[in-house]
């Protein structure tokens, strides 16, 4: 499970830009606390960088432990909720649109085959005190992540880059879009609904993903993901103008549809639209999405105008991805604290 340094920095930079609308009540932070948090942020920046770039598992593990302890100490400062931690480029930190909480997520590289996602939800407390919910990734322990409600103790880990707030019958629903560096050959992108139970505890998932309008019947899902070839660039994001989550329709490059690490975009799209308390799936044949100029030229499609797979395009895409993988060289690892 591997994601390059430039890719993860870009992903998290986008997520942080989306989350920049942090509460206007930042004036609650006294000058002394702001100065203290700036100093703590310098240390956190070094630890977070080392989690991703350190050459050995021992150093990465130690940096991760130091980062977690240092982050908790920083968040204990009064009204720390309003401090944005903008320099932490390898840590996603998003504010909910209604400013009721923010969520930190990142990944820890155990070895070449395994990345673990980690995270924490910080609630916005009126008195400025700390209320924090650590998140524990249990995705490696389940074969069926799509049909269960989960707590913070058995969370399906992801690095979140978008929060979408919806309401239904007086209750708030926060849809999280996230990236999962799933395997050596494939990535996943997740769509997860976060709610808070009557006790105020976070709860992940539920019967929120409906395929009732599809031509082929599918049961309701509790969360949704796409899995695709490691090198493939995929769209999976919320379009505020359309008020939909839009994502690429994927097809296998070869004749083995069971191999998710061969799936790539074909130029068409699918979507989810919020309706009556759930996300209703819209199939590609029902989805009329017009790309803006320059977003994706039609000659790049893998399906021809009749809907048949263009083997030439498939081979060109495969050759291009193979060449890119060969030419891509990992950035040199930085020393801890650099």
């Amino acid at each position: 499970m591997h994601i390059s340094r430039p890719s993860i920095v870009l992903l998290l930079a986008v997520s942080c830009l989306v989350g920049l609308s942090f509460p206007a009540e930042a004036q609650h932070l006294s000058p002394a606390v702001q100065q203290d948090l700036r100093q703590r942020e310098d240390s956190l920046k070094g630890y977070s960088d080392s989690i991703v770039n350190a050459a050995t598992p021992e150093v990465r593990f130690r940096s991760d432990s130091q980062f977690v302890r240092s982050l908790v100490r920083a968040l204990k400062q009064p009204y720390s909720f309003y401090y944005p931690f903008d320099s932490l480029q390898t840590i996603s930190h998003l504010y909910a649109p209604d400013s009721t909480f923010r969520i930190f997520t990142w990944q820890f590289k155990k070895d070449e085959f395994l990345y673990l996602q980690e995270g924490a939800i910080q609630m916005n407390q009126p008195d400025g005190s700390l209320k924090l919910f650590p998140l524990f990734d249990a995705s490696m322990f389940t074969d069926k992540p799509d049909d269960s409600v989960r707590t913070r103790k058995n969370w399906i880990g992801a690095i979140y880059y978008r929060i979408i707030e919806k309401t239904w019958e007086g209750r708030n629903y926060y849809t999280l879009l996230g990236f999962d560096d799933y395997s050596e050959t494939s990535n996943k992108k997740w769509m997860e609904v976060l709610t808070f139970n009557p006790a105020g505890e976070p709860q992940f998932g539920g019967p929120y993903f409906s395929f009732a309008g599809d031509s082929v019947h599918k049961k309701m899902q509790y969360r949704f993901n796409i899995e695709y070839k490691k090198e493939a660039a995929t769209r999976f994001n919320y379009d505020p103008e359309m008020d939909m989550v839009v994502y690429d329709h994927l097809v296998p490059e070869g004749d083995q549809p069971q191999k998710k690490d061969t799936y790539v975009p074909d130029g068409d799209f699918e979507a989810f639209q919020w309706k009556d308390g759930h996300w209703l799936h819209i199939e590609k044949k029902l989805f009329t999405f017009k790309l803006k100029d320059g977003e994706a030229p039609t000659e790049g499609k893998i399906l021809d105008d009749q809907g048949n797979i263009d083997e030439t395009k498939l081979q060109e895409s495969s050759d291009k991805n193979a060449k890119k993988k060969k030419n891509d060289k990992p950035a040199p690892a930085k020393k801890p604290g650099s």
Side-chain angles (χ1 to χ4, degrees):
M1 302 181 181
H2 177 69
I3 181 171
S4 66
R5 163 72 185 208
S7 298
I8 194 170
V9 169
L10 177 60
L11 173 71
L12 296 181
V14 171
S15 73
C16 292
L17 284 173
V18 172
L20 275 179
S21 57
F22 50 86
E25 291 87 347
Q27 62 265 26
H28 283 316
L29 285 167
S30 69
V33 169
Q34 290 187 53
Q35 178 62 29
D36 179 83
L37 288 172
R38 278 193 291 268
Q39 293 174 354
R40 294 177 185 274
E41 185 177 11
D42 287 341
S43 298
L44 287 166
K45 183 179 178 181
Y47 296 141
S48 64
D49 185 84
S50 184
I51 293 171
V52 175
N53 292 306
T56 65
E58 294 79 10
V59 175
R60 293 194 297 271
F61 182 81
R62 185 166 60 250
S63 297
D64 182 69
S65 297
Q66 291 170 323
F67 174 81
V68 171
R69 290 196 298 270
S70 298
L71 178 63
V72 172
R73 285 195 291 266
L75 296 181
K76 286 182 178 179
Q77 294 297 307
Y79 296 101
S80 66
F81 182 84
Y82 304 110
Y83 188 81
F85 293 101
D86 285 336
S87 71
L88 303 184
Q89 294 298 302
T90 60
I91 307 296
S92 170
H93 38 290
L94 301 176
Y95 284 94
D98 61 3
S99 300
T100 54
F101 68 92
R102 68 171 163 182
I103 186 167
F104 296 86
T105 49
W106 67 95
Q107 64 182 12
F108 164 63
K109 179 182 177 183
K110 184 178 181 293
D111 53 41
E112 292 301 323
F113 305 98
L114 181 62
Y115 269 93
L116 298 176
Q117 277 77 43
E118 300 179 78
I121 296 175
Q122 181 185 15
M123 305 305 295
N124 185 1
Q125 296 291 90
D127 63 356
S129 62
L130 178 61
K131 185 176 183 180
L132 192 69
F133 296 110
L135 305 177
F136 300 96
D137 185 6
S139 54
M140 71 179 71
F141 304 115
T142 179
D143 294 326
K144 297 180 179 180
D146 300 333
D147 61 358
S148 56
V149 175
R150 291 174 173 266
T151 71
R152 61 186 180 89
K153 296 180 180 179
N154 61 352
W155 168 62
I156 300 296
I159 304 173
Y160 296 127
Y161 55 87
R162 191 71 185 246
I163 302 179
I164 308 152
E165 182 186 356
K166 295 294 183 181
T167 59
W168 173 247
E169 295 185 342
R171 189 180 185 188
N172 291 336
Y173 298 83
Y174 305 93
T175 300
L176 308 171
L177 304 183
F179 174 86
D180 180 6
D181 202 353
Y182 182 65
S183 76
E184 285 188 287
T185 56
S186 69
N187 295 329
K188 283 186 176 184
K189 288 183 179 177
W190 284 96
M191 189 172 174
E192 173 85 81
V193 176
L194 166 66
T195 56
F196 291 88
N197 65 22
E201 286 268 343
Q203 182 172 282
F204 296 91
Y208 300 126
F209 296 90
S210 171
F211 301 85
D214 285 14
S215 55
V216 178
H217 176 73
K218 289 176 65 176
K219 67 178 182 179
M220 188 85 74
Q221 288 185 200
Y222 282 52
R223 58 186 53 79
F224 178 80
N225 76 81
I226 59 171
E227 184 178 353
Y228 56 93
K229 186 174 181 177
K230 179 67 75 173
E231 297 86 0
T234 59
R235 174 192 175 109
F236 195 113
N237 215 333
Y238 176 66
D239 188 309
E241 293 184 6
M242 302 181 70
D243 194 21
M244 293 181 182
V245 174
V246 180
Y247 65 96
D248 282 300
H249 177 73
L250 303 175
V251 295
E253 288 184 303
D255 58 357
Q256 294 179 290
Q258 74 278 9
K259 296 185 66 174
K260 294 297 184 180
D261 59 358
T262 68
Y263 277 65
V264 294
D266 68 357
D268 286 321
F269 297 91
E270 301 176 62
F272 282 99
Q273 185 174 40
W274 182 257
K275 185 176 181 180
D276 298 337
H278 60 259
W279 288 101
L280 179 65
H281 181 243
I282 300 174
E283 294 183 292
K284 71 168 188 174
K285 65 181 181 180
L286 301 176
F287 182 52
T288 55
F289 174 67
K290 301 299 182 182
L291 288 170
K292 298 176 182 178
D293 291 341
E295 280 191 340
T298 56
E299 59 267 24
K301 290 186 177 182
I302 291 172
L303 295 185
D304 62 23
D305 292 337
Q306 286 72 44
N308 301 311
I309 293 179
D310 187 330
E311 297 294 342
T312 302
K313 292 298 182 184
L314 278 174
Q315 188 60 48
E316 289 176 356
S317 175
S318 182
D319 291 346
K320 182 178 179 181
N321 286 333
K323 182 178 180 181
K324 178 180 181 297
K325 185 172 184 179
K326 181 178 179 181
N327 293 335
D328 282 348
K329 296 182 179 179
K334 295 184 179 181
K335 295 181 179 180
S338 62

